[in-house]
Amino acid sequence: MAFQLLLNFLISFIWMFLKSSFAPDTFLIGYIIGLLLIFVTRRFFPTKFYLIQLLAILKLLWIFIKELIIANVAVLKIILQPKLAVTPGIFAMKTVLTKDWEITVLCNLITLTPGTLVLDISEDNSTLYIHAMDISDKEATITSIRNSFEKAILEVSN
Amino acid sequence: MITTIISIITAVLIFAGALLTLVASIGVLRLPDVYTRSHAASKSATLGIMFILLGACLYFFQKEGIFNSRLILAIAFIFLTSPVAGQLIIRSAYNRNIPMTDMTIRDDLKTAKMKSTDLE
């Protein structure tokens, strides 16, 4: 992804030198031409066309913001109900992610989802220990949400 | 017309932010132990401060025509660092054996830790 982006910048600089005009709009036109060139030659690169990854990153950001707002409404409901009905607990969750940055992003996502907080990560990076506010019936739904997060992160990384 | 809309959005954002921060502090008072308190503190306070900063950014953009990018950067920094802070606090609390509330019904980490000490 970084290589394709750098190549795209290089192409737009070459376009600027060919036109011998150094205005921002020339750069933009060169950038679009570079985008087309990279799209045409996309099968020579080992990774996917980088706009797809860019879209995946934007999707991840959208999930982040959406989950933050949902989590806050959930916490609001728990705190403001007259009788405190929480059944906290810690459960373990296996993860398929391996790279450090992926696990960090997953931890941040889980921390911002309703009623969950990452407590610890096992030594071999394979299990996350999560503290849940309401462990009783949530585990199944939490796992399903988790799968969607993991999928979104995997989409970015390959 | 547009000015009115922007001021209404600003007011709603700042009010929502203040409300969320208030709820977070009520949560810190009401919830039973460190771990559940950290839930309230790390989520509601984050979004509350983000809303207030966004409101301030919009206010100065509309009133004085200045787009203050530092506020946007501050939003990004808080968004990235606050969950990590909550995580680190409860992790060190757990490692210091701070007890959880009696309502706790499950503890997988304890069994995992006991297993690893048995192996040694």
Side-chain angles (χ1 to χ4, degrees):
Chain A
M1 155 137 189
F3 175 69
Q4 289 182 35
L5 199 65
L6 216 61
L7 193 67
N8 206 157
F9 270 90
L10 194 71
I11 291 170
S12 41
F13 274 111
I14 291 173
W15 180 256
M16 272 159 68
F17 275 85
L18 282 172
K19 297 280 279 184
S20 71
S21 116
F22 297 97
D25 46 346
T26 323
F27 181 81
L28 203 67
I29 291 167
Y31 197 84
I32 292 165
I33 290 169
L35 213 59
L36 283 173
L37 283 177
I38 290 174
F39 181 72
V40 168
T41 56
R42 67 190 178 282
R43 67 191 189 91
F44 296 106
F45 296 104
T47 51
K48 267 191 271 179
F49 183 52
Y50 79 92
L51 269 194
I52 295 172
Q53 269 173 312
L54 215 63
L55 281 180
I57 290 173
L58 286 181
K59 197 179 147 203
L60 202 63
L61 203 68
W62 165 245
I63 291 177
F64 250 108
I65 293 166
K66 198 182 73 184
E67 287 301 327
L68 183 60
I69 291 170
I70 293 173
N72 273 285
V73 174
V75 168
L76 213 98
K77 265 186 203 157
I78 289 173
I79 290 170
L80 293 182
Q81 67 193 197
K83 196 168 165 291
L84 217 53
V86 287
T87 47
I90 297 170
F91 66 93
M93 191 204 111
K94 291 265 177 219
T95 176
V96 294
L97 302 175
T98 47
K99 288 184 204 118
D100 281 349
W101 71 266
E102 291 171 342
I103 291 171
T104 312
V105 171
L106 184 68
C107 285
N108 269 6
L109 263 174
I110 291 169
T111 303
L112 292 177
T113 42
T116 50
L117 203 61
V118 175
L119 189 73
D120 208 350
I121 303 162
S122 66
E123 297 274 324
D124 55 347
N125 280 356
S126 67
T127 315
L128 304 179
Y129 295 98
I130 299 164
H131 183 271
M133 194 91 123
D134 248 323
I135 204 168
S136 49
D137 57 358
K138 284 236 172 124
E139 216 172 318
T141 48
I142 281 169
T143 321
S144 77
I145 295 171
R146 202 63 31 77
N147 287 339
S148 75
F149 290 163
E150 270 187 349
K151 235 162 71 191
I153 293 172
L154 279 176
E155 256 173 58
V156 174
S157 68
N158 57 40
Chain B
M1 186 60 200
I2 290 170
T3 8
T4 335
I5 292 171
I6 292 180
S7 1
I8 288 170
I9 293 173
T10 311
V12 167
L13 275 177
I14 291 179
F15 182 74
L19 192 76
L20 277 172
T21 318
L22 179 71
V23 168
S25 32
I26 292 173
V28 170
L29 285 176
R30 277 197 73 190
L31 289 168
D33 65 350
V34 192
Y35 308 95
T36 41
R37 279 175 188 168
S38 182
H39 275 274
S42 71
K43 284 175 195 129
S44 307
T46 312
L47 193 68
I49 291 168
M50 280 167 69
F51 273 170
I52 290 173
L53 287 177
L54 202 63
C57 187
L58 265 179
Y59 174 81
F60 284 112
F61 183 63
Q62 181 234 327
K63 190 99 177 175
E64 323 206 344
I66 306 166
F67 182 72
N68 198 338
S69 53
R70 269 175 240 166
L71 286 170
I72 301 292
L73 262 188
I75 290 174
F77 284 150
I78 286 170
F79 187 51
L80 285 177
T81 52
S82 159
V84 181
Q87 215 166 302
L88 284 178
I89 289 168
I90 66 162
R91 182 157 177 247
S92 44
Y94 193 90
N95 288 339
R96 294 280 295 169
N97 294 322
I98 308 280
M100 284 190 265
T101 166
D102 300 334
M103 286 182 267
T104 308
I105 50 172
R106 212 176 139 175
D107 195 345
D108 283 351
L109 183 56
K110 201 168 152 194
T111 48
K113 282 218 161 134
M114 272 161 80
K115 234 182 244 168
S116 68
T117 45
D118 282 348
L119 285 175
E120 273 164 15

